[in-house]
Amino acid sequence: MSLINHFILVCTFLFLGSIDSISKDVKPLKNTIFFDIVHKDNVIGSLKASKTIKDSKIHYQSVTTINTRIFKEIDVNYLYNVIYENNKLKRANVLIDVNDKPYADILTNWEIDYYQISKNDKNELVIQEDIKYATILLYFVEPVDIERCYSEQDGSFNTIIPLGNHSYKKINAKNNENIYHYKDGFLEKAEINGGLIKFNIVAQK
């Protein structure tokens, strides 16, 4: 091997080695958005949603706190942790506390060739089709050409109906309707029917 070829080969290995070391040190890309939860013109809670990308995995998380009075003072906290890999849902865990006490623990986990859904540590449902779009994506990705989405909270599929002008209606398993409004691809406002209470989610400026 000539000296020139040897020099080129050594430089190539050095360059590739440096690229490899850089790739290992790359920090995850993170995007966080904040919402106010509004009921009758009063802010009754907050919602923080984050999207973290590292390699082929995307980790979504949302933290919701609602404090209001229906028949009595009620404090509800939701924690969503959702992992996607190669654009497919791999794991989703929803924890709900009411008045500082555990209320529900819902887990959706990919088990080689199916999803196992468990509620409060009891296996309940099995889903065998791939899940591409779950409800947490509604905060980050406008559901263009999406006809339904997976509810991590109850292990069912919700129907999505486009209303025009970047607005969409989502109908859940209880036939409650939520309306989502988007601007530049991101959620700007949502009208939520929570059963006992209706409220709006409004993106902070």
Side-chain angles (χ1 to χ4, degrees):
M1 181 183 296
S2 68
L3 289 175
I4 294 176
N5 288 339
H6 182 74
F7 177 78
I8 292 173
L9 186 62
V10 170
C11 289
T12 300
F13 279 121
L14 288 173
F15 178 76
L16 290 176
S18 64
I19 290 294
D20 182 63
S21 63
I22 291 173
S23 65
K24 291 178 181 178
D25 295 332
V26 170
K27 293 183 178 180
L29 297 175
K30 187 171 184 177
N31 178 28
T32 303
I33 49 181
F34 299 88
F35 299 87
D36 289 326
I37 298 176
V38 181
H39 174 62
K40 295 182 178 180
D41 297 324
N42 295 315
V43 176
I44 63 169
S46 63
L47 191 158
K48 174 185 175 182
S50 63
K51 174 183 178 181
T52 305
I53 303 174
K54 186 174 182 181
D55 300 326
S56 62
K57 290 186 178 181
I58 303 178
H59 179 203
Y60 295 94
Q61 184 182 76
S62 69
V63 180
T64 306
T65 299
I66 300 175
N67 184 276
T68 188
R69 186 177 184 85
I70 303 176
F71 305 111
K72 62 178 182 178
E73 195 77 16
I74 183 170
D75 184 23
V76 184
N77 298 288
Y78 295 82
L79 173 61
Y80 279 58
N81 279 300
V82 181
I83 297 175
Y84 269 75
E85 187 171 6
N86 297 320
N87 298 315
K88 175 181 173 178
L89 179 68
K90 288 294 185 178
R91 179 183 172 88
N93 189 208
V94 179
L95 299 172
I96 305 173
D97 291 344
V98 177
N99 294 334
D100 296 323
K101 295 181 180 179
Y103 177 78
D105 181 350
I106 306 98
L107 176 65
T108 302
N109 196 54
W110 177 250
E111 303 281 357
I112 302 178
D113 57 357
Y114 65 91
Y115 292 99
Q116 177 66 65
I117 294 92
S118 63
K119 298 181 181 180
N120 298 322
D121 295 324
K122 294 181 180 179
N123 291 341
E124 293 202 357
L125 301 169
V126 168
I127 296 176
Q128 293 184 316
E129 62 180 284
D130 290 352
I131 297 174
K132 300 292 186 180
Y133 194 101
T135 56
I136 199 167
L137 270 67
L138 287 164
Y139 300 126
F140 297 95
V141 183
E142 181 177 347
V144 178
D145 297 326
I146 301 295
E147 296 181 350
R148 63 179 189 160
C149 65
Y150 176 73
S151 171
E152 306 94 321
Q153 184 174 330
D154 58 23
S156 65
F157 285 95
N158 296 178
T159 301
I160 295 181
I161 301 173
L163 302 177
N165 198 29
H166 301 284
S167 295
Y168 303 82
K169 177 191 294 185
K170 182 173 75 68
I171 305 173
N172 67 16
K174 296 181 179 179
N175 284 323
N176 291 333
E177 299 180 356
N178 300 337
I179 309 296
Y180 297 82
H181 306 276
Y182 291 82
K183 183 177 181 180
D184 299 326
F186 290 96
L187 182 63
E188 186 175 44
K189 180 182 177 181
E191 301 155 25
I192 306 298
N193 182 353
L196 290 175
I197 185 173
K198 296 181 180 180
F199 54 87
N200 291 336
I201 297 174
V202 181
Q204 295 182 2
K205 303 299 182 181

